[in-house]
Every structure is written in C-alpha cells, then in structure tokens.
Amino acid sequence: MRVGGPIRSSLYLATMKDVGNDRADAAPAEARWGDDERGLVEAALGLLGIRNLVLAIHDPSFPSDDAEDIGRGSPNTDGGRRFLRFARDLGFNGVQLGPQGETSADNASPYDGTIFSRSTLSIALARLVEDGPSGALLRPESLREIVAGRPPGSEARAHHGHAYRAQRAALREAYASFEGRRRRDEPGELADLERRLDAFTRRNAAWLERDGLYGPLCAEHRSGWFHGWSGEPELDRRLYAPGPGEVVACGERRRALLDRYRDELRFYAFCQLLAHEQHAALRTVTAELGLKLYGDLQIGYSPQDAWAYQSVFLRGYLMGAPPSRTNPEGQVWSYPVLDPAQYEDASSGGLALVRARMDKMFDEFDGVRLDHPHGLVCPWVYAADAPDPLRAVQGGARLFSSPDLPEHPLLARYAIVSPAQLNRAVPRYADGWVTSLSPEQVGRYSVIFDTIARCAEARGRAISDVVCEVLSTLPFPLGAVLDRHGLGRFRVTQKADLDNPKDVYRSENAAPADWIMVGTHDTPPLWRLLDTWERASALGRQAAYLATRLAPSPAEEGAMARALASDPRALAQAKFADLFASPASNVMVFFADLLGMKEIYNTPGTVGDHNWSLRVPRDYERSYLEMRARGAALDLPRALALALRARGGAESVERGNLARRLERCPR
C-alpha cells in the first residue's frame, strides 16, 4: 500500500470539470486525486459528502511495542501513536476515544471512571524513563521488570488488574525519585517539572482536592463506596455536602484531612499532571496527522464523583436505562441524576458541574461524544431505596414527563409537560409517551444541551462537533432538543430490521447530521455476525436488502443479491459500502470491524476480566493487509467504489472514474 500526502477533497470538488469515462480530458482532474490510496479515499469521501470518517477505539485497546507493553494499551505509547498514523494513512480523519477517567482496580469499565481526573493507566511509562519533560524519573530496569512480568496473552487482551498494580508501583517510584531529587535541589528539568506541578495544582484545585481525598478516606473507612463508610467521623460522607449546622465542622474536618494527607494529595496531583501532559502531547500528534480527536462524556458518575458532588444530585432517585429494543428488561445503572431544582442558577449546582465538565472536554478534544444523551434531556429514574433495583427500573419514569403518576408522586414537581400531552396508550418509556411540546417547553428540556452549546462556542467548537449516541429509542423531547441544535443520532446498521422500511437503523432513513456505523463497542463485530447470519441462512435477506441500496440500477439488483449471498466477505464489504451510500455525512468504524476481528470488546450488562479488554493485534499492519486482500477486513477503497457506483446522479461520470481508480488500489 502506497501512502502519500493528502489530496484535499475540497480541491477535487472545486476543480472537477466534465470528465468522461475514458477520455483524454479526464487526466487533469484525475491527477488532482493523486496516485496514493489515501488521496483517492479522501476524494471519494468528498464526492460522497462524508464529512467525518472516524475510527473508534478505547485506550486499553491500543497496541504497544514489546519494550513498553505493561499489559494494557495507550494512545500515548510509541505503538499507540504508530497505530494512529496507520489509521490516518488509510483515510480516517478522526479518532473516537472512550471516557478518559480514572477507574478502580477491580472495575475496568471506562464508563464508571471519574469526570475530571484522567486515567493514570494511560500514562506511557517509557516517557518517564527517557530524558525529557518528565526528567527520567523511572529506572529502565523497573520498566523492563514490569514488561517482563505482564501476564501471558496480554498483548491480545488487556489485564486491567495487573496493569493497575504495576502502573501504581511505577508511578510511586517516579514520584519518590522526583521528591528525592527535588530535596537535593537538583537543577534543570526537575525544577521546571516542580513549577508545572505547582501551577497545575493551583489551576485544578477544585477537583484535585476532592478526587485526591477519596482514596485515603476509602482506606480509612475500609470501604470503596462512601455509603459504606461507618464510624467516626460521620462527617466524611458529607464532607462536601454538609447538612444543616455542619458547615463549620465539615470545613474543619476538611482542613485536617488536607494536612494529614498532604503527601498523598501531592502524589495524586503529580500523577494527574503526567496524565494531562501526555494527553496534551497526543493532541499535538493527532493535529499534525490531520486527525480530529473525539472525547467521550459518559452519562454516569464514578463513586468519588457521586460523593464529591452529591449536593447537586436529586435525592431519592437514581438513573437507569428503561426497557428497550436493545435491553428489553432495562438496566440498573445506579447513577445519580442532577437535581433540576438547581437548574435556575447556572453559576452553581448541576449546571455549573456540566459547564466545568464541558469546558475541560472542549479544551482537551476537538469533539465530544455524548453517552446516552437521554440522561441529559429526559432521564429515566427509579427509586434509590427500592429492594429490587431491576424491578424498580422497569417501573421507573421519565424525570420531566411524569406529571401525575401515582407510583411517582414526587416527580410531579419537575414535570415540564401536562397530563394532556401524554399518550397513555403506550408505555411511559416509549418514544411517543409525550405527544407535543411548545417552544418554551423544548427550551426547558434543552437546558443542559444549551449549556453544552455555549461551552462549545466559547471554546471555538461547532455544535456539529458534538456526537449524540442515540440508539434504538428517541423520545419526543430528546428529538425536539436535537432538532433545536441541528444534531443527529446514531444509525447502527447491523441492528436494522429488514422487514420494517421505517426502522431507525436502516441506512436510507439516515439524515445528513447523523452518525452511521455497522457496529459499536457494545455490539458483536461484523465478522462474527457473518458467521451467525450464515448459520441462520440470513445471508440472502441481507444480500437482497444491500442490493436495493447499492446496485447501480434496478436491473442489476438480482445479480448483485445473488453474488453477495454466495460470498459472505463480499457481503461484508457491501455492508460497509452501505454506510457511505447513505445520506449521513458522518461515518464511524469500530476498530474490530476495521481489522476483521471476531472477538467481542464489551458485552453490556456483564462484569469480568474479559470485558473492556480486546486489543489491536501486535502484527496488525501485516495481518490487516493480508486479511484485506482476502476480503476478511474492511477494504475501504472497495467499499467506497461500491458506494460511488450506487449514488449515480449528476456526478455519476466522475464517480465512475474515481470508483475505477479505487478498485485498482493494490490488495
């Protein structure tokens, strides 16, 4: 595969003239496409109206070079950066990372991480060994011992617990080295590191103090969950949310704790400085590559965030997922939900917390994925003290759409809609539960989204840089809020109901603002599904549908359907082509789908070491090219060629010329 500099598709579109199929006057325009594969891919994306082609991958899944691999991946390693270059060379112009928060030793889910502190597991230890901004704080032999001690198979599946313990020991050593050399008054880079640490601590004191204290208090009370803290002092559970008459006592207790755990807090800030500086360096790398970097704003809160900011959360209720097409039983999330009574004052309470999160996200990323945005507009809530949480979730309600429910009388005070605006003939979690809204009511539902939009504008981001993970359900209020801001939803085509022409996951039902994908981190890879479809004799139905979407003319549909039904790998390429032939202008590909992998990354609702652990194979560059040649991995030029031929229209001649060039790309 030849890789060269990018040929901007805007240039191609602006200079294209009347290009004939094989005429001599086609040469000048085709020259502007370039001879390299990436140039052709970018030209095709431009001609198809694809604004963003984004590769989705979470931090643990990145490959690492053998000498730096601790048993878990990171985009900050040399191997991680090389994978980013690989993605850019293929034609991707963006990368979607997962949530970046700190997780606990026994929970690898990034969606349970902290909202401000960054994961220290993504710190590349090799950067602490070499001379540079971090001052060679880690001994080379320490890194070699960690690498040599990683569990077997960790290059294919991350070992969270082992990596957590090894990383913590390495960071302790680095911190001890820093403090020892600082006390010896060694000049140079360490002095600069100390200045950066002091400035970072002052700048981020609001969240560093709270996050830094949580761990020592958990150890002191022998429980990792603040509701389980017992004994004296009782104030610790409400340290940042004092009850009546407790303000002075909580302040005194906090000052005592800050003094007692001064060194632990400094160590915490030191680790966070390293994590934030390495992320800033990653931003420089992705910008130089021409990759937009997307962050992921999870809807949930970590235990320390639930403790630290409990004063802004609604008492008596938790947030979960209602029954849906994807999860018929619903899901118990146990996440706190912002108290709407505090929405009036944007300078404090929940909206201030939202603004602080979004400001940090837009400072650190080019765009932001909103995880389950229902929770920001019309959260599904259930009683926090219910003895059977799953049953409570199934009997829950929408926080702002429950004006007169006998089971939830307390929610009436937060209702935005009246009883007359409800359709009692459908379940109250259904999209059509709310039937109409006035502009004023839409504005009330949109309070948090309006805050996000203002944060984006203040940081020089467009609202279109906000990605909304709306899946099978789109409640009427959420749809109205998305329309208010011109935002789209997700279209996950592997879930499409081929018997329902109006199904939300069918590609022809997408809108330009939508994000379309074959699968996500929560679904099986396409290559695994092919086996399932083949066993269930479902390839024919998939092929027939894809032929209606991709055949250049109705007369060719039958032949295409038969060809795809007889060749699962060709059908897979057509499934990818369907994304690019849709009206959506944003395409996302999960890394397992790109590389032809069949292993599952996450099975929703399950807990275990196997979840959140799948990694890019160490030999991905070789294996990808071999598998692509066999049609067993995403062949981007081939998929784009199929999409170009399917689109036709006034530019069909140009599309045909480019399709032929793409089909000639080496495999």
Side-chain angles (χ1 to χ4, degrees), residues 36-55:
D36 65 289
E37 181 175 303
R38 190 173 108 187
L40 294 174
V41 166
E42 290 184 336
L45 295 176
L47 198 52
L48 290 166
I50 305 300
R51 176 173 171 259
N52 294 300
L53 175 57
V54 173
L55 180 65

Side-chain angles (χ1 to χ4, degrees), residues 263-283:
D263 192 60
E264 279 296 303
L265 289 168
R266 184 169 167 83
F267 170 64
Y268 193 92
F270 170 81
C271 295
Q272 284 301 308
L273 172 68
L274 297 180
H276 280 75
E277 288 191 338
Q278 288 199 6
H279 179 76
L282 175 66
R283 287 288 308 281

Side-chain angles (χ1 to χ4, degrees), residues 392-520:
V393 165
Q394 294 168 350
R398 297 279 181 198
L399 177 57
F400 300 115
S401 308
S402 305
D404 60 353
L405 297 182
E407 313 96 297
H408 298 283
L410 296 179
L411 297 185
R413 72 184 69 175
Y414 306 117
I416 295 174
V417 295
S418 69
Q421 292 173 289
L422 302 180
N423 178 10
R424 312 279 181 168
V426 301
R428 54 181 176 252
Y429 55 77
D431 289 359
W433 171 251
V434 175
T435 60
S436 64
L437 291 172
S438 69
E440 186 272 337
Q441 288 174 315
V442 174
R444 291 175 64 191
Y445 273 108
S446 188
V447 167
I448 292 180
F449 261 76
D450 290 351
T451 300
I452 291 171
R454 286 191 291 270
C455 291
E457 181 180 8
R459 292 304 195 275
R461 305 285 186 266
I463 191 62
S464 58
D465 292 324
V466 174
V467 182
C468 296
E469 189 223 18
V470 177
L471 296 171
S472 58
T473 60
L474 181 62
F476 186 83
L478 178 58
V481 170
L482 296 185
D483 288 343
R484 175 183 174 98
H485 291 283
L487 292 168
R489 61 174 298 165
F490 275 23
R491 308 281 180 171
V492 187
T493 62
Q494 69 164 257
K495 297 182 178 183
D497 182 349
L498 303 185
D499 295 323
N500 180 7
K502 295 182 179 180
D503 185 69
V504 297
Y505 287 139
R506 290 169 68 121
S507 63
E508 66 267 31
N509 294 329
D514 290 339
W515 287 75
I516 192 166
M517 60 217 67
V518 171
T520 71

Side-chain angles (χ1 to χ4, degrees), residues 112 437 551 595:
D112 289 333
L437 291 172
L595 299 175

Side-chain angles (χ1 to χ4, degrees), residues 179-196:
E179 284 293 292
R181 292 162 64 181
R182 181 184 65 83
R183 293 190 184 99
R184 293 193 296 271
D185 199 26
E186 294 188 15
E189 290 178 342
L190 277 184
D192 181 59
L193 176 58
E194 184 174 10
R195 285 192 293 270
R196 299 199 313 272

Side-chain angles (χ1 to χ4, degrees), residues 93-323:
N93 57 23
V95 173
Q96 171 72 69
L97 300 179
Q100 299 283 293
E102 189 80 293
T103 54
S104 61
D106 58 356
N107 184 1
S109 172
Y111 292 92
D112 289 333
T114 51
I115 61 176
F116 292 117
S117 292
R118 298 191 67 84
S119 173
T120 53
L121 284 174
S122 288
I123 295 173
L125 295 183
R127 305 270 181 261
L128 308 186
V129 171
E130 61 197 25
D131 290 329
S134 300
L137 297 174
L138 185 65
R139 295 175 300 130
E141 53 268 31
S142 295
L143 178 57
R144 286 195 293 269
E145 289 174 5
I146 291 173
V147 169
R150 66 176 184 257
S154 58
E155 70 279 357
R157 285 277 180 182
H159 283 249
H160 175 78
H162 172 82
Y164 188 97
R165 293 185 294 273
Q167 189 86 340
R168 184 63 48 174
L171 292 174
R172 285 284 183 188
E173 178 185 319
Y175 178 68
S177 174
F178 164 68
E179 284 293 292
R181 292 162 64 181
R182 181 184 65 83
R183 293 190 184 99
R184 293 193 296 271
D185 199 26
E186 294 188 15
E189 290 178 342
L190 277 184
D192 181 59
L193 176 58
E194 184 174 10
R195 285 192 293 270
R196 299 199 313 272
L197 176 59
D198 289 343
F200 177 81
T201 302
R202 289 192 299 271
R203 189 167 59 249
N204 299 288
W207 58 265
L208 275 174
E209 175 185 304
R210 301 181 190 216
D211 285 3
L213 276 179
Y214 190 75
L217 283 174
C218 285
E220 190 172 306
H221 291 280
R222 300 181 180 180
S223 174
W225 177 234
F226 72 97
H227 286 300
W229 295 355
S230 59
E232 296 296 334
E234 170 69 18
L235 290 175
D236 287 353
R237 284 194 297 173
R238 302 182 301 279
L239 196 63
Y240 293 95
E246 294 180 336
V247 174
V248 174
C250 281
E252 292 175 349
R253 172 63 175 167
R254 185 171 60 86
R255 285 188 290 274
L257 290 170
L258 292 176
D259 183 64
R260 180 190 305 174
Y261 295 115
R262 183 185 298 111
D263 192 60
E264 279 296 303
L265 289 168
R266 184 169 167 83
F267 170 64
Y268 193 92
F270 170 81
C271 295
Q272 284 301 308
L273 172 68
L274 297 180
H276 280 75
E277 288 191 338
Q278 288 199 6
H279 179 76
L282 175 66
R283 287 288 308 281
T284 300
V285 170
T286 55
E288 290 174 348
L289 289 173
L291 286 169
K292 290 178 67 174
L293 194 62
Y294 289 83
D296 196 342
L297 188 98
Q298 74 268 27
I299 194 61
Y301 295 88
S302 69
Q304 51 263 61
D305 293 318
W307 167 74
Y309 305 103
Q310 60 188 283
S311 64
V312 308
F313 296 128
L314 181 63
R315 295 185 183 276
Y317 278 93
L318 295 172
M319 186 194 310

Side-chain angles (χ1 to χ4, degrees), residues 446-667:
S446 188
V447 167
I448 292 180
F449 261 76
D450 290 351
T451 300
I452 291 171
R454 286 191 291 270
C455 291
E457 181 180 8
R459 292 304 195 275
R461 305 285 186 266
I463 191 62
S464 58
D465 292 324
V466 174
V467 182
C468 296
E469 189 223 18
V470 177
L471 296 171
S472 58
T473 60
L474 181 62
F476 186 83
L478 178 58
V481 170
L482 296 185
D483 288 343
R484 175 183 174 98
H485 291 283
L487 292 168
R489 61 174 298 165
F490 275 23
R491 308 281 180 171
V492 187
T493 62
Q494 69 164 257
K495 297 182 178 183
D497 182 349
L498 303 185
D499 295 323
N500 180 7
K502 295 182 179 180
D503 185 69
V504 297
Y505 287 139
R506 290 169 68 121
S507 63
E508 66 267 31
N509 294 329
D514 290 339
W515 287 75
I516 192 166
M517 60 217 67
V518 171
T520 71
H521 66 262
D522 288 330
T523 62
L526 174 61
W527 310 99
R528 189 185 189 95
L529 281 179
L530 287 177
D531 295 340
T532 301
W533 290 340
E534 193 166 17
R535 288 193 299 270
S537 301
L539 290 178
R541 296 183 67 245
Q542 291 286 337
Y545 168 73
L546 290 170
T548 66
R549 299 285 299 129
L550 299 173
S553 69
E556 298 173 80
E557 286 183 15
M560 176 177 276
R562 288 190 294 274
L564 295 179
S566 64
D567 186 346
R569 293 178 178 180
L571 188 143
Q573 304 305 327
K575 198 72 176 173
F576 287 117
D578 184 38
L579 307 178
F580 298 104
S582 80
S585 60
N586 308 288
V587 175
M588 189 178 293
V589 179
F590 191 57
F591 79 91
D593 285 329
L594 166 67
L595 299 175
M597 303 175 72
K598 294 185 178 183
E599 297 85 355
I600 292 176
Y601 176 67
N602 174 53
T603 301
T606 62
V607 178
D609 293 339
H610 212 61
N611 249 22
W612 311 106
S613 63
L614 184 65
R615 296 184 68 182
V616 172
R618 183 77 62 80
D619 65 343
Y620 66 91
E621 291 173 287
R622 177 195 59 78
S623 64
Y624 169 74
L625 290 178
E626 290 181 356
M627 295 179 72
R628 189 177 96 163
R630 303 197 310 269
L634 168 58
D635 186 339
L636 193 52
R638 181 179 176 184
L640 288 169
L642 277 169
L644 286 165
R645 295 188 185 281
R647 288 287 285 267
E651 296 172 318
S652 59
V653 172
E654 293 90 338
R655 287 176 176 145
N657 286 339
L658 186 51
R660 280 189 291 278
R661 295 284 300 278
L662 287 162
E663 288 165 345
R664 292 198 294 267
C665 286
R667 292 180 170 83

